[in-house]
Amino acid sequence: MLPAGEWDALAGDEDPFLRHAFLSLLESSGSVGEGTGWTSLPILVEREGRTTAAAPAYLKTHSQGEYIFDHGWAEAWERAGGAYYPKLQVAVPFTPCPGRRLLGQDRHALLAALETVTVQNGLSSAHVNFLTEEEARLTEGRGWLQRHGIQYHWLNRGYASFDDFLGALSSRKRKAIRKERAAACESVEITALRGAEIEPRHWDAMWHFYQDTGTRKWGHPYLTRTFFDRIGEVARDSALLFLALRDGEPIAGALNFVGRDILYGRYWGAVEEVPFLHFELSYYRAIEWAIANRLACVQAGAQGEHKLARGYEPVLTRSVHFIPDPAFRDAVGRFLMGEREAIRQEIEWGREALPYREGSA
């Protein structure tokens, strides 16, 4: 990877996951690297001794930790006698947060570099996950396939307070959320800690929460203990932790990262089951904090239709895929055509199911 200053100049400061320090910690903590199936292979474009574009790229030997699922493509290609892995993956590992992936101004040259690396090394494909709509448009006419997905984001429409937000909801949903919040907070104390306020003991608790969730969801957690030991230093300005305490001891937590205009909800876990506590820590506290700090959006992670009832709206996510083999590309292209229509219909249904009063959103 480039020196930190050069990389961060290309990445900007709006997205905490693109920072050199965050990506480097994934490597130095052993979360990516040898034995993980993620080999760091940043793609750079240089002109006259100056780096003009870069992409956080990895050589992947599996499809785990990406949140854009291509396992079916891998199986089909291998049944046909091909080798799907390794593949070239542009992404922030384990982080399904939409944002820029093609850094710098020389982005067409960067796309050409991704294509060249894929073809010259005999790779099955190259993928760019959770890129912006504008970046996806850059791939049009280059033979890349575009894939759509759905996430649920909360959008701040100038609310003055959480109660102001509730006022935009239907009466039934407003009452339901108030009941959920009261039940969640009945027997616990909830605190918010940011940056230097998060002590080693808090990170220790969050590690245990993450272990529990990761084991149940993915079979094994992606991030190492070393990552949690050091993320407090690396993300001192962006880390935001909501903790639920019983008798002063943490029993649940939700880890967020603060971007320039977005609050990113990333990890949740608990060692004790409390009704509605997940919704309180992961969704309602995030909304409340975003309103108080005038952030435009809360991204609460991948998937989750249950977020609709909490005011989170369906939004389109994008990935693009370069497949050199024409027959394989055509087959995937036909699949994506049908999938995009299904996604369109699902988003339409989700918008109709939103709990907002007519005319309020």
Side-chain angles (χ1 to χ4, degrees), residues 47-334:
R47 295 188 187 275
E48 299 177 354
R50 184 174 65 91
T51 303
T52 58
Y58 299 84
L59 202 62
K60 288 293 304 295
T61 58
H62 54 63
S63 292
Q64 297 170 10
E66 298 167 10
Y67 301 93
I68 301 290
F69 302 109
D70 61 350
H71 301 92
W73 303 359
E75 292 171 6
W77 186 231
E78 288 167 3
R79 281 200 304 270
Y84 192 73
Y85 305 109
K87 63 178 183 177
L88 186 62
Q89 184 74 54
V90 176
V92 178
F94 327 122
T95 308
C97 299
R100 293 192 305 129
R101 296 293 179 264
L102 307 176
L103 311 180
Q105 298 302 312
D106 213 353
R107 293 178 296 175
H108 276 293
L110 185 58
L111 288 168
L114 291 168
E115 295 162 9
T116 299
V117 168
T118 302
V119 172
Q120 288 186 348
N121 290 278
L123 305 179
S124 70
S125 49
H127 311 260
V128 184
N129 285 4
F130 296 106
L131 76 174
T132 68
E133 180 180 5
E134 188 261 345
E135 287 176 323
R137 283 200 298 269
L138 293 176
T139 68
E140 294 175 357
R142 301 191 64 97
W144 292 67
L145 302 172
Q146 186 168 161
R147 190 174 194 182
H148 290 168
I150 299 178
Q151 286 188 359
Y152 300 90
H153 298 173
W154 180 83
L155 306 178
N156 189 350
R157 293 188 166 84
Y159 302 114
S161 65
F162 192 87
D163 281 340
D164 190 25
F165 156 65
L166 288 181
L169 305 182
S170 67
S171 174
R172 183 171 63 88
K173 292 298 184 181
R174 185 164 59 247
K175 291 176 182 176
I177 288 176
R178 284 178 172 148
K179 288 180 67 174
E180 287 183 358
R181 298 200 75 183
C185 300
E186 184 177 6
S187 60
V188 299
E189 173 193 354
I190 296 178
T191 185
L193 304 169
R194 184 172 182 188
E197 297 174 333
I198 308 175
E199 301 174 5
R201 61 191 177 96
H202 300 132
W203 287 117
D204 185 60
M206 193 62 222
W207 159 253
H208 289 291
F209 302 150
Y210 169 76
Q211 282 282 104
D212 177 70
T213 301
T215 301
R216 286 187 287 107
K217 279 192 173 184
W218 315 305
H220 69 276
Y222 297 130
L223 300 173
T224 65
R225 176 58 190 261
T226 303
F227 178 91
F228 278 84
D229 287 340
R230 296 181 53 200
I231 186 61
E233 305 168 16
V234 167
R236 179 174 293 271
D237 297 327
S238 61
L240 173 66
L241 182 60
F242 298 123
L243 284 178
L245 310 176
R246 188 185 301 284
D247 299 326
E249 292 298 318
I251 64 164
L255 177 59
N256 305 261
F257 293 90
V258 183
R260 182 194 293 171
D261 210 25
I262 298 174
L263 182 62
Y264 300 93
R266 290 304 303 118
Y267 302 108
W268 141 269
V271 293
E272 183 179 324
E273 198 71 33
V274 177
F276 306 115
L277 187 56
H278 177 208
F279 301 147
E280 176 65 23
L281 289 183
S282 298
Y283 305 147
Y284 302 141
R285 292 283 166 158
I287 291 174
E288 207 165 48
W289 200 93
I291 292 172
N293 291 273
R294 300 181 180 180
L295 298 185
C297 177
V298 177
Q299 293 186 13
Q303 305 165 337
E305 291 180 1
H306 59 278
K307 295 169 187 168
L308 287 169
R310 280 89 198 168
Y312 285 72
E313 306 182 30
V315 299
L316 194 71
T317 62
R318 295 170 176 82
S319 60
V320 292
H321 310 269
F322 175 69
I323 300 174
D325 184 272
F328 186 31
R329 180 190 181 281
D330 288 347
V332 172
R334 289 192 297 272

